[in-house]
Structure formats: structure tokens, C-alpha cells
Amino acid sequence: MSNLGHTCWLCLLWSHYQHCPIEIEWHGIWFVTGTFDYDLVVIGGGSGGLACSKEAAQLGQKVAVLDYVEPSVKGTKWGIGGTCVNVGCIPKKLMHQAALLGTALKDAQKYGWQIPGPISHDWSTMAEAVQNHVRSLNWGHRVQLQDKEVKYLNVKGIFFLFFMNCCFTQLKGNIVIATGGRPKYPTHIPGAVEHGITSDDIFWLKESPGKTLVVGASYVALECAGFLTGIGLETTVMVRSIPLRGFDQQMAGLVTDYMEAYGTKFSWRSVPKSVDKLSSGVLQVTWTDEQTGKDQRDTFDSVLWAVGRAPETKTLGLEKVGVKLNKESGKILVAADESTSVPNIYAFGDIGEGRPELTPTAIKAGKLLARRLAGRTNELMNYDNVATTVFTPLEYGCVGLSEEEAESRHGKDSIEVYHAFYKPLEFTVAERDASQCYIKVVCKRGGDQRILGLHFTGPNAGEVTQGFAMGFQCGATLTHLKETVGIHPTCAEELTKVNVSKRSGLDATVTGC
């Protein structure tokens, strides 16, 4: 840091300009001098950071947002909006929809639609449409910030020890860190970085990825593999241990069973060893089948790594100013009010230790934080019973505890699990297999049988689960569920009719209306 001059250099600027604020950008690093420049500086322009900054501005705070996207290893870069908008929820759901439309076209013929010629998919048409929509969202975010008089700076926000030691005690505003995370590469595998891509790249490819190997079994891995299969690409998922770790494992099994029937290949209990690019341009992947102990090889056009995400904390300089991290995960240790170990510095969203890595939780947490910092409320974010959906070919929605978690917390004899296998009406004429369409309601045994967890695989799982999620905030019980009159004929209706417990051993297959 010697080339920046002595420590007192910035102190003098701070002191001199505290009533005449200026902004300094030095080698891509942004400084603000002056005691009252901003009430709130948000580092990170993702869904949570933007929600926090806009809420604060509406409450009369003077706010700045610092957002800079480091290009991926493959050079992919995007605009403001964070992971969800650019390389996550939004493009994922649109490509999932493309795959669902392909399935619908096949079903349509059973419903009488005459579709001449073979059905095929053009990647570039889909990609251009998706990317154009994402760009429109980038522009929309910038317009919203301008309308709310939030200062947007496309620069990195970095903490410096000399700056904090000398000047931080004078800071009257607050700093919020909402930088999220980025996909990991397995750097110990030869060729993984040089020849592989991640979810930071897949949605911005101009050309089809072709025959693809997806390494990993997280929701990111399965969702990407699902839409790639759905648009007609040969796709294999390589799984080291279990799918959808952290989710209900019976439901995870139904999801992967459906995917296999849908056409996705799975290489179970397999660990990649190397990726080599052959003279033909294809990628040769070598892996170990841990069930046999033997090495195997195959060639692919693309290898997509979906082996976890790392928090964006390494380049922030947090350790220099005393912000404590979880040494294993790299995430910031936060209290219930999103405060860190340093006064006036807060963190929330994916970067916070123990927080759900979900866009809606970051948005709500950001808004509540802004209100608390503005002195408008003391309300804390409630992270319990947050609903979510995995957008695989057969969607899986859930809220509350998995069966395994319920057993662990309450004991197997203290819970009752009600379930049903059902067939969506839409599947009947199309003659689609509904073996994996399933409902599970996990309840506290005895008393009013409070619902601990609700799980659903089937069409429109997100829409179904969102509606029932509100009941969890009201202490929903099995009685409440049964007293709810269903909408006929819908898949969601089956939840209101569930009455067979696992303990009974009775057939849980729904017959008739």
C-alpha cells in the first residue's frame, strides 16, 4: 500500500472536505470523503442490494450502490441485477419454459393438434430472446435507481485498513454488503477450469452447448440438465453422492427418477478425474466409478460444473477491517439484525452465514434492514419456513421441514406423514407417466397436528407451493388443510384431500375425483 502515500493522506482529505464532499476513483477503487456524503452505501447490485437501496431512498436516505461484475473464467460478464436476473432464476426459468413447451408440443398431438414434420429446437433463437429480456431488466434497474435518486457506481467497493483505522470512526452512515456468490470450479481436476463452464456462462452462450456433462447434483445442476434434455440435447449428470442435498431425500429421488425417464442420463457415485480437449475439439472426461473402482471415459461438447458456490468476500478486504467470517464457508458471520462484527457494517443475502441462498429472502431482508437503519421499524427478517421450488422437468416445491429434519428435531414417533400419489388430469389424455407425482405433508403427531413440512412434485409446483406457504405463517394444521375446499380439477386440490398416513401402510394412490 506504500504507493498510496502515508496513512494521513486520506485523513487530511476527509478532514478538509467533510463539509464539501467529493468522490475519488483510484485504479478502479472508489472513495468517498466527507462525513455526511451518504447515509447508506450498498456494495452489491443484486436483488437484495437493490431492494435495500431503493427502500432506503424511499425513506429519505441518501444512498449509493456500488456494483461491478468480475468476468467469469470464460469472459462472461453482465449488467446490474446480480445472479438472479443475469445468470440465475430469470434465464433459468425461461429456458425451463422452453423445455416445457417442447414436451407440450408432443402432448398436443394426443390432444388433436396436427403438427407437420419433425420438432426441433434452435438454441440461438432462444438464447437471443432470453438475453434480450435480461438486458431489458438491467436497463430497468438503472432507471429505477435514477428515479429514486440512488447513486449507481459501476466500480468495486473495497475496504482498506489504513482508511478504516483513520476514518471509520467518523463514518455517520452505514455500509451494507450484499455481494452474493459465484460458482466454484474444482481446481484440483486437470482441465476443469480450462475446458469447463459454469452457470455464469450457460445462459449467455451464443451457440448450443451440444452433448453436455453436468457435474454436480444441486438444484442448479438438475435444473440445467433438465432444460438441456428438454430442448433435445444429450445430457448426463454426474453425481458423487446424493441429489439435492438438504432437501427431502424421498422427493429428491422422485425428481431424478422422473428425469431419467425423461431422457437425462445419470452417472451415479462417480468422481471426475480429468478433462482433456482432443484434436477434434470435443472434451474427453475421465472419471472413477466408485461402485466398481474402475475409471471410465466419454466425450462431450461441453462440461458444466455445478459443484457449489463461493461467497464473494475474498476481494473485499473484510479481514483488514475486522469483519469476521466463517473460515470454512468464507461467509460473513451475521446477527439476527444482519449486523457484522464491525459497527455500521451489515451483510445479508447469500453472503451471510446460515442464510437461505434465495432471492426473495434477500429482497425481504434488504427492505427490512433499510427500514431498521432509517429508524422506521425494529422488525427482523423471519428465515423460518421459506418456500422454494426446484424447476426440474417435474417441478418440486416445498416449504417447512423435510421428513428427515422433522424426525431429527421431533423424533420419528412424534411426527405423522400423510402422502398421496396422484395423476394430473393433463397427463391422462397425453398418456404421460405420473409415477413420480407425489404429495407429502409432515405433521406433528397428536393434538391439532401442526404442519411441519409440505412437499409437492408435479406441474406448476412453484405456484402450488406459494399459495400453501402462507398457511405456515398462520400456524397451519392438518385440520385447516382438510377444511379447505379444493379447486376442481387441479393438482393443488389433492393437498386438501390427503388422508393416508405412511404409518398406516395403506395404498396412497389417488383414485377417482
Side-chain angles (χ1 to χ4, degrees):
M1 301 303 298
S2 59
N3 61 334
L4 276 176
H6 297 292
T7 301
C8 61
W9 176 76
L10 191 58
C11 289
L12 290 172
L13 279 175
W14 187 287
S15 175
H16 184 68
Y17 290 106
Q18 60 181 335
H19 299 296
C20 183
I22 64 169
E23 294 167 7
I24 303 171
E25 187 178 352
W26 181 86
H27 288 208
I29 303 163
W30 183 73
F31 302 98
V32 174
T33 69
T35 308
F36 303 104
D37 284 337
Y38 293 97
D39 299 299
L40 181 68
V41 174
V42 179
I43 303 176
S47 300
L50 292 174
C52 182
S53 64
K54 289 186 286 187
E55 185 72 13
Q58 285 190 176
L59 296 173
Q61 302 283 288
K62 188 172 182 182
V63 185
V65 172
L66 281 60
D67 184 68
Y68 177 81
V69 179
E70 230 15 286
S72 73
V73 172
K74 298 301 176 185
T76 308
K77 192 176 179 181
W78 51 87
I80 192 169
T83 297
C84 175
V85 166
N86 295 282
V87 289
C89 318
I90 299 302
K92 175 272 300 289
K93 180 74 181 293
L94 292 173
M95 292 191 178
H96 171 63
Q97 175 65 11
L100 292 180
L101 288 171
T103 301
L105 282 171
K106 296 172 185 176
D107 289 351
Q109 296 175 73
K110 293 285 182 68
Y111 278 91
W113 285 97
Q114 302 299 308
I115 302 175
I119 299 171
S120 62
H121 181 269
D122 180 66
W123 174 277
S124 59
T125 299
M126 174 190 70
E128 183 179 6
V130 170
Q131 291 160 16
N132 284 341
H133 177 67
V134 169
R135 290 189 185 97
S136 74
L137 296 178
N138 297 149
W139 176 252
H141 282 308
R142 296 187 67 164
V143 170
Q144 288 176 24
L145 291 178
Q146 185 174 3
D147 288 346
K148 297 182 185 300
E149 298 184 345
V150 175
K151 178 76 171 180
Y152 164 58
L153 292 153
N154 183 216
V155 294
K156 291 183 183 180
I158 301 175
F159 294 92
F160 282 96
L161 180 59
F162 79 96
F163 169 70
M164 299 303 289
N165 281 350
C166 300
C167 303
F168 192 62
T169 56
Q170 300 183 53
L171 184 63
K172 301 300 182 183
N174 297 288
I175 296 175
V176 169
I177 306 168
T179 49
R182 298 289 288 270
K184 295 179 183 177
Y185 270 97
T187 54
H188 63 285
I189 298 175
V193 178
E194 296 90 330
H195 307 307
I197 60 174
T198 69
S199 58
D200 274 359
D201 307 297
I202 186 73
F203 304 108
W204 290 92
L205 296 178
K206 300 297 184 185
E207 304 296 333
S208 170
K211 179 184 177 183
T212 304
L213 172 67
V214 179
V215 183
S218 63
Y219 72 91
V220 175
L222 298 186
E223 288 177 339
C224 288
F227 72 67
L228 290 173
T229 301
I231 61 175
L233 300 179
E234 186 177 343
T235 308
T236 301
V237 179
M238 186 172 289
V239 183
R240 178 179 58 86
S241 54
I242 61 173
L244 295 178
R245 184 179 299 278
F247 288 86
D248 186 290
Q249 283 303 290
Q250 181 188 9
M251 307 305 292
L254 293 171
V255 167
T256 54
D257 285 349
Y258 187 92
M259 288 182 69
E260 285 192 288
Y262 185 71
T264 304
K265 299 177 182 178
F266 281 82
S267 181
W268 297 102
R269 292 191 60 189
S270 297
V271 178
K273 292 182 67 177
S274 63
V275 181
D276 298 291
K277 192 167 189 176
L278 304 181
S279 57
S280 61
V282 299
L283 303 176
Q284 179 177 273
V285 180
T286 303
W287 70 91
T288 301
D289 184 333
E290 294 193 329
Q291 298 176 86
T292 65
K294 296 180 179 179
D295 285 354
Q296 296 188 24
R297 290 184 180 84
D298 198 358
T299 56
F300 302 88
D301 297 309
S302 300
V303 176
L304 173 64
W305 300 104
V307 293
R309 296 178 67 81
E312 284 282 84
T313 53
K314 290 183 179 179
T315 62
L316 293 176
L318 297 175
E319 68 286 350
K320 296 176 181 176
V321 297
V323 174
K324 293 182 180 179
L325 308 176
N326 180 310
K327 292 182 179 179
E328 289 187 14
S329 68
K331 293 190 174 187
I332 299 173
L333 298 178
V334 289
D337 64 352
E338 324 300 350
S339 61
T340 70
S341 55
V342 176
N344 295 88
I345 299 182
Y346 297 81
F348 69 93
D350 294 8
I351 204 168
E353 180 63 32
R355 300 304 193 228
E357 295 185 2
L358 297 169
T359 297
T361 57
I363 291 173
K364 188 171 179 63
K367 288 182 177 180
L368 287 173
L369 175 59
R371 293 169 194 166
R372 290 196 301 274
L373 294 179
R376 301 301 179 90
T377 181
N378 292 318
E379 183 184 355
L380 300 176
M381 175 65 188
N382 178 10
Y383 289 100
D384 293 332
N385 297 323
V386 174
T388 190
T389 292
V390 182
F391 290 97
T392 37
L394 185 69
E395 297 176 5
Y396 165 36
C398 60
V399 58
L401 303 181
S402 66
E403 186 174 350
E404 294 90 346
E405 288 174 316
E407 283 187 12
S408 176
R409 292 192 192 186
H410 301 281
K412 190 170 184 177
D413 292 335
S414 296
I415 65 170
E416 196 76 72
V417 180
Y418 296 88
H419 64 152
F421 286 95
Y422 71 100
K423 188 164 189 173
L425 185 63
E426 300 90 329
F427 282 25
T428 54
V429 171
E431 298 178 338
R432 286 172 61 183
D433 182 18
S435 304
Q436 290 81 33
C437 292
Y438 180 70
I439 290 164
K440 178 192 289 190
V441 182
V442 183
C443 301
K444 195 83 165 54
R445 196 177 184 193
D448 58 4
Q449 293 192 288
R450 180 168 58 88
I451 300 175
L452 303 173
L454 186 149
H455 303 264
F456 175 96
T457 52
N460 306 301
E463 311 297 339
V464 172
T465 309
Q466 181 68 82
F468 286 100
M470 188 179 72
F472 274 73
Q473 306 305 317
C474 307
T477 66
L478 186 69
T479 301
H480 289 141
L481 194 63
K482 288 184 174 181
E483 288 179 347
T484 301
V485 178
I487 300 172
H488 188 69
T490 65
C491 296
E493 175 193 22
E494 301 301 335
L495 277 159
T496 69
K497 299 191 299 181
V498 67
N499 62 81
V500 177
S501 71
K502 278 191 174 184
R503 195 185 303 273
S504 72
L506 298 175
D507 184 4
T509 304
V510 175
T511 57
C513 291

